[in-house]
Amino acid sequence: MIPWTVKPLVRVRLAQNVESGLETISGLEVTRSAYTVAYCTGPDVTDACASAVLAAGGVAEAPTSVSIAVDEIGAHSLSIHYRTLYGYLPQTYRNWVGLWPGLASPYNAPAPMARAVPTDASEGRLKLDGLDLAADTTYTLIYFMDESQTTAAAVHTFRTTT
């Protein structure tokens, strides 16, 4: 679990703006202890959207990350399942989920057609009501770590049935 109120030992800014890569953490004296490494979408520890526990010799536990999925699609509503990191407080840290028609990118999307704010449960369900979802149409859900549209942690694209 990420110690949410503890300052990180080291912060590393990614050298490249790419989807996948390798980063080296220097200036850290590593002991036999296990360490939690977190990927953050913003400047605060509370912007962490993925983590892994590392120990000498490799990964000590399976990595975890924020996820979002559709549970149920209705003509005028959508039920969503979300999962954040253990011990995380989504509402306190201003997380939100947006819904867009089509294949939306979190970095240049217009205002969402609907928004939902999770509770402070690190895993739960959200319901978007009052929608007008078209049949046989693609939509995109995006989970954000704070109020900014630059902190996307998970994207889920789905298609309604005919």
Side-chain angles (χ1 to χ4, degrees):
M1 179 191 302
I2 293 175
W4 299 107
T5 59
V6 177
K7 182 181 174 184
L9 293 174
V10 176
R11 292 178 57 102
V12 175
R13 191 168 209 39
L14 298 179
Q16 297 180 339
N17 188 18
V18 295
E19 291 181 11
S20 179
L22 179 64
E23 203 62 48
T24 301
I25 299 173
S26 54
L28 179 66
E29 186 176 323
V30 179
T31 65
R32 291 193 171 271
S33 299
Y35 295 87
T36 301
V37 177
Y39 177 83
C40 298
T41 61
D44 300 320
V45 172
T46 56
D47 293 324
C49 64
S51 70
V53 177
L54 306 178
V59 176
E61 295 177 15
T64 60
S65 62
V66 173
S67 65
I68 190 166
V70 172
D71 275 340
E72 202 172 312
I73 302 170
H76 302 288
S77 66
L78 188 64
S79 177
I80 304 162
H81 178 260
Y82 72 91
R83 180 179 294 152
T84 63
L85 306 182
Y86 299 115
Y88 189 72
L89 304 171
Q91 187 175 45
T92 296
Y93 301 134
R94 302 175 320 280
N95 293 191
W96 62 283
V97 174
L99 175 68
W100 286 265
L103 298 170
S105 163
Y107 305 109
N108 60 10
M113 63 185 284
R115 272 178 77 118
V117 174
T119 67
D120 270 340
S122 58
E123 180 175 0
R125 288 187 166 65
L126 299 171
K127 188 162 186 188
L128 296 173
D129 288 315
L131 303 174
D132 189 17
L133 299 176
D136 197 28
T137 302
T138 299
Y139 292 92
T140 302
L141 283 169
I142 305 174
Y143 190 103
F144 293 94
M145 300 304 290
D146 69 25
E147 293 167 353
S148 167
Q149 257 183 238
T150 63
T151 60
V155 177
H156 178 75
T157 301
F158 64 96
R159 189 163 191 83
T160 56
T161 58
T162 55

